[in-house]
């Protein structure tokens, strides 16, 4: 994308002006209002807009999966991003509405096979393809594209670790060196300058958001970190699997990936970077009989002299000005139903009955903040737009 194109996009931030005021509890409220576009931005839109009529042309690779369809849903209300390309090998030639009837109102191009995709009318790409298939595809994309990859292929800094956990050699080691890990609230400055962002996994997002600030402040020990995590079935993807049939998952809880879940190295990588020391965790995920939602219950040991109040204050400082990470009032328990369909992460910290230990509860929608929502948040940052653009969906309830 040309510098003129990017500068025009950044100029359009006036479409989404944000002012701030303090609420009664001290938390910043974000108030948005549209203002008249400048003549330059109008001319730019008229000259550059594709069928979508929006400034930034988006490709969604793997649009027929859960994360791909969630990207399409979120972009429906984005004032600057418009989809001009969608791929889905098994659904090539079909419309998005025929594959996902809830998106039938969207006037979008039909999906094509990845081999037939043309990128001449694309500025940025969301790559929503399965793990292990993304490296060769991204390697072949035009260097001018901004890319957010939702697979695990570029999350691990060490390619040897990728091979160990994913069972195959990494086929794009040079790109791995370039990739920036996309935990938005923690690595925002690095994301701003990135061309390729590795979007975090859902479990690592719920775990790192509360733990990274505490480890950086040396308030919790790097040992004895125990994580009990639970996810809705959509986290397993849309592929037909016997284990995910309704009769297999209903009315039960299913532990899986015990000691060997592929998110473990990603979690430990982020926590070790925060602590400047090797961190090893005990992590057990569970599949729950619900379509979406994720909760991580984390048991930590506080460093000598540290109290629950210290943990709460540090999390408040870390996220007081963040829109999408909400530290609840003391004693309030986060619930997955209160983030469904939204990009929010709710969290809180509680005293354990065991002296010196604390319990942290963190919840997200695994398909939004755990995947497509955070991906959109990252691309907003990469494009110089307010990162909440297109993400102001409130949670669905009931």
């Amino acid at each position: 994308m040309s510098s003129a194109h990017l500068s025009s996009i950044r100029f359009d931030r006036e479409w989404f002006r944000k002012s701030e005021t303090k609420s009664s509890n001290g938390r910043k409220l974000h108030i948005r209002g549209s203002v008249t576009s400048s003549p330059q931005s109008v001319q730019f839109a008229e000259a550059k807009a594709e069928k979508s009529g929006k400034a930034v042309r988006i490709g969604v690779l793997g649009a027929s999966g859960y994360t791909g369809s969630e990207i399409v849903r979120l972009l429906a209300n984005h004032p600057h991003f418009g989809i001009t390309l969608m791929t889905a090998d098994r659904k090539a030639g079909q419309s998005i509405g025929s594959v996902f009837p809830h998106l039938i109102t969207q006037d979008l191009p039909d999906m094509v096979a990845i081999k037939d995709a043309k990128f001449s009318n694309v500025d940025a790409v969301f790559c929503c393809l399965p793990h292990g298939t993304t490296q060769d595809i991204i390697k072949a994309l035009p260097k001018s594209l901004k890319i957010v990859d939702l697979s695990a292929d570029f999350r691990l800094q060490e390619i040897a670790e990728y091979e160990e956990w994913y069972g195959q050699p990494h086929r794009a080691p040079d790109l791995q060196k370039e990739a920036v890990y996309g935990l938005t609230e923690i690595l925002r400055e690095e994301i701003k300058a990135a061309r390729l962002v590795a979007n975090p996994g859902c479990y690592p997002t719920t775990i790192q958001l509360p733990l990274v600030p505490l480890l950086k402040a040396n308030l919790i020990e790097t040992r004895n970190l125990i994580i009990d995590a639970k996810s809705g079935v959509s986290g397993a993807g849309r592929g037909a699997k016997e284990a995910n049939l309704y009769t297999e998952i209903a009315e039960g809880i299913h532990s899986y990936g015990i000691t060997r879940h592929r998110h473990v190295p990603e979690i430990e990588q982020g926590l070790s970077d925060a602590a400047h020391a090797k961190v090893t965790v005990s992590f057990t995920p569970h599949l729950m009989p619900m379509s979406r939602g994720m909760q991580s219950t984390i048991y930590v040991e506080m460093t000598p002299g540290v109290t629950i109040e210290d943990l709460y204050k540090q999390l408040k400082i870390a996220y007081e000005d963040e829109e999408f990470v909400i530290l609840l009032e003391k004693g309030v328990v986060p619930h997955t139903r209160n983030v469904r369909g939204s990009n929010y992460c709710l969290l809180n910290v509680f005293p354990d009955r065991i002296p010196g230990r604390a319990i942290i509860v963190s919840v997200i929608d695994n398909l939004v903040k755990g995947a497509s929502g955070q991906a959109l948040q990252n691309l907003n940052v990469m494009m110089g737009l307010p990162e909440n653009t297109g993400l102001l969906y409130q949670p669905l309830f009931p």
Side-chain angles (χ1 to χ4, degrees):
M1 184 184 302
S2 69
S3 59
H5 194 164
L6 270 174
S7 63
S8 298
I9 293 167
R10 290 194 175 101
F11 188 84
D12 270 0
R13 294 175 84 164
E14 292 192 37
W15 285 29
F16 235 41
R17 184 178 59 195
K18 181 171 80 171
S19 61
E20 296 179 337
T21 185
K22 286 282 187 179
S23 68
S24 58
N25 62 6
R27 183 178 180 81
K28 286 186 178 179
L29 300 176
H30 303 275
I31 304 170
R32 300 160 192 83
S34 61
V35 297
T36 304
S37 300
S38 70
Q40 294 94 326
S41 65
V42 172
Q43 291 170 6
F44 170 77
E46 290 174 348
K48 296 293 185 181
E50 295 292 329
K51 182 180 179 181
S52 66
K54 297 180 181 179
V56 183
R57 302 164 299 178
I58 301 294
V60 181
L61 309 187
S64 63
Y66 287 141
T67 57
S69 69
E70 197 72 349
I71 288 284
V72 175
R73 180 181 76 89
L74 295 172
L75 289 182
N77 287 328
H78 198 290
H80 307 298
F81 295 169
I83 297 172
T84 56
L85 170 70
M86 295 190 296
T87 75
D89 284 359
R90 288 179 295 176
K91 306 290 185 181
Q94 298 185 40
S95 67
I96 192 69
S98 67
V99 177
F100 291 106
H102 72 290
L103 298 172
I104 198 169
T105 60
Q106 300 305 300
D107 183 18
L108 297 171
D110 289 345
M111 292 177 282
V112 299
I114 188 71
K115 64 180 179 61
D116 298 323
K118 307 296 184 186
F119 293 94
S120 58
N121 67 336
V122 174
D123 301 313
V125 165
F126 291 107
C127 195
C128 306
L129 298 168
H131 309 311
T133 66
T134 303
Q135 298 152 42
D136 290 331
I137 290 170
I138 290 182
K139 188 164 56 174
L141 292 177
K143 300 299 183 185
S144 59
L145 298 181
K146 298 279 190 177
I147 303 165
V148 181
D149 179 29
L150 281 78
S151 82
D153 283 8
F154 293 97
R155 294 174 189 162
L156 300 181
Q157 296 164 2
E158 301 296 330
I159 58 174
E161 198 163 34
Y162 176 87
E163 182 173 357
E164 176 189 348
W165 287 86
Y166 287 88
Q168 58 184 337
H170 200 287
R171 298 189 298 278
D174 290 339
L175 271 180
Q176 177 57 62
K177 295 174 185 176
E178 178 187 350
V180 170
Y181 188 66
L183 193 60
T184 322
E185 286 79 11
I186 305 300
L187 293 164
R188 183 175 285 115
E189 292 305 312
E190 292 83 351
I191 294 166
K192 284 180 181 178
R195 183 183 75 89
L196 169 60
V197 166
N199 211 58
C202 44
Y203 285 124
T205 296
T206 64
I207 294 161
Q208 292 179 91
L209 284 175
L211 292 188
V212 164
L214 301 181
L215 285 167
K216 284 184 174 180
N218 195 33
L219 296 179
I220 58 174
E221 300 286 2
T222 58
R223 63 177 185 269
N224 296 330
L225 287 169
I226 301 170
I227 304 160
D228 177 8
K230 298 175 173 66
S231 174
V233 184
S234 59
R238 203 183 185 208
K241 303 170 188 173
E242 182 179 290
N244 294 344
L245 294 172
Y246 176 82
T247 50
E248 302 289 332
I249 62 167
E251 302 180 39
I253 301 174
H254 298 258
S255 303
Y256 67 102
I258 300 173
T259 75
R260 290 296 299 176
H261 192 279
R262 288 174 169 180
H263 282 172
V264 167
E266 181 184 345
I267 295 165
E268 293 182 346
Q269 173 182 271
L271 300 185
S272 297
D273 286 348
H276 300 292
K278 177 62 177 174
V279 176
T280 304
V281 301
S282 293
F283 170 68
T284 304
H286 309 268
L287 198 63
M288 302 296 289
M290 58 187 188
S291 61
R292 59 166 80 202
M294 176 168 286
Q295 174 173 317
S296 288
T297 305
I298 308 166
Y299 303 86
V300 302
E301 183 177 332
M302 294 178 283
T303 52
V306 171
T307 66
I308 289 290
E309 182 66 23
D310 295 326
L311 301 189
Y312 189 90
K313 285 181 178 178
Q314 185 61 36
L315 290 172
K316 185 173 182 179
I317 291 169
Y319 295 118
E320 184 174 23
D321 295 331
E322 293 292 346
E323 180 147 9
F324 293 120
V325 182
I326 311 296
L327 178 65
L328 299 180
E329 296 294 327
K330 293 177 182 178
V332 177
V333 180
H335 296 294
T336 59
R337 66 176 178 268
N338 294 331
V339 294
R340 181 179 172 87
S342 79
N343 197 51
Y344 295 103
C345 172
L346 305 183
L347 54 88
N348 216 338
V349 58
F350 305 89
D352 198 341
R353 291 178 59 245
I354 301 173
R357 293 190 65 88
I359 302 169
I360 300 167
V361 179
S362 171
V363 300
I364 61 172
D365 184 319
N366 58 291
L367 288 179
V368 190
K369 186 59 172 171
S372 303
Q374 187 158 221
L376 179 52
Q377 190 178 353
N378 282 326
L379 189 59
N380 283 334
V381 172
M382 295 163 76
M383 292 298 191
L385 293 168
E387 64 189 61
N388 59 12
T389 309
L391 287 169
L392 298 177
Y393 293 88
Q394 293 304 292
L396 299 173
F397 187 85

